[in-house]
Amino acid sequence: MSRAYFKLQELDWKFDLLKSKHHILELGAAPGGWVRYIEDKLSGHENLYIAVDPSPVKSSGLAKIIRGKSNEPRVSQEIGRILGSKKLDLVLSDMAPKISGVRVVDDSASLELAEEALNIAFKYLAPGGSMVAKLFQGSEAQSFTEEAKKFFFKTVLFKPSASRSESREIFVVADGFKAGR
């Protein structure tokens, strides 16, 4: 199993993210570490699970895979078609930018992806729903967390122990979506 699998497992254990009969959207699903954890945990629990990525995603069949970038209109239309009148309970984003090696550029690109996940949450997340988004540690993560606090009742930064110690990745965990932004 991948390190990603154990990161999501730890996030789930700490914040009780994945529940039966929930509607879940994962952004940045390739190659499939989080998909595997979600499918292992929720198989047979009547969940709606959508996984989005431009690269191929490994799935046992529970996930409805959409190939494309989350900011493409075609992808948004497909998410809407799959959901119909339903809303999401959880938006997960493990999206990460291609690393340039220039910290300020990488931080900015990471922030853009987290903002993309937040915009998708605005569109599809049910009142009271949750969101998890990957960011790089630094001022961008702090500013994003402050922004997310306006739209969620509880927002925290968390670094899973499964993350490499030298990794700057961190996750914003936001719970209690305040609909009607």
Side-chain angles (χ1 to χ4, degrees):
M1 296 199 207
S2 70
R3 187 178 296 274
Y5 182 103
F6 295 108
K7 290 176 197 175
L8 182 56
Q9 181 181 57
E10 185 176 350
L11 283 160
D12 184 30
W13 286 350
K14 181 152 181 76
F15 299 102
D16 193 28
L17 298 169
L18 299 166
K19 300 174 179 105
S20 65
K21 299 185 180 179
H22 269 195
H23 305 320
I24 301 160
L25 173 65
E26 180 191 352
L27 308 169
W34 283 21
V35 173
R36 175 135 185 229
Y37 177 77
I38 292 166
E39 290 181 336
D40 285 353
K41 180 166 182 180
L42 298 177
S43 180
H45 289 279
E46 300 177 35
N47 291 78
L48 173 61
Y49 172 38
I50 305 166
V52 176
D53 202 285
S55 299
V57 176
K58 295 176 191 166
S59 168
S60 66
L62 175 66
K64 296 182 184 315
I65 307 293
I66 301 174
R67 286 278 303 267
K69 293 184 177 181
S70 58
N71 61 355
E72 293 174 353
R74 173 190 64 76
V75 170
S76 183
Q77 290 168 355
E78 184 65 11
I79 292 168
R81 186 192 67 73
I82 292 168
L83 286 173
S85 63
K86 301 176 194 101
K87 288 287 195 177
L88 295 168
D89 299 292
L90 176 62
V91 173
L92 296 168
S93 175
D94 196 27
M95 295 188 291
K98 291 192 187 298
I99 303 300
S100 70
V102 179
R103 187 173 183 148
V104 68
V105 171
D106 295 340
D107 287 356
S108 178
S110 170
L111 176 63
E112 283 180 31
L113 293 173
E115 288 173 341
E116 197 173 297
L118 184 59
N119 287 330
I120 288 170
F122 291 148
K123 188 170 186 177
Y124 297 113
L125 197 59
S130 302
M131 182 188 81
V132 175
K134 181 193 294 189
L135 280 162
F136 293 145
Q137 290 175 342
S139 62
E140 303 283 6
Q142 289 298 333
S143 65
F144 181 81
T145 302
E146 291 306 313
E147 182 69 14
K149 284 180 181 179
K150 297 174 187 173
F151 308 107
F152 291 87
F153 287 106
K154 182 179 178 188
T155 306
V156 297
L157 286 172
F158 181 73
K159 181 172 176 124
S161 60
S163 292
R164 288 186 170 93
S165 60
E166 68 274 8
S167 172
R168 293 182 47 243
E169 79 175 358
I170 195 162
F171 293 89
V172 175
V173 181
D175 188 39
F177 180 59
K178 305 172 191 176
R181 166 186 102 128

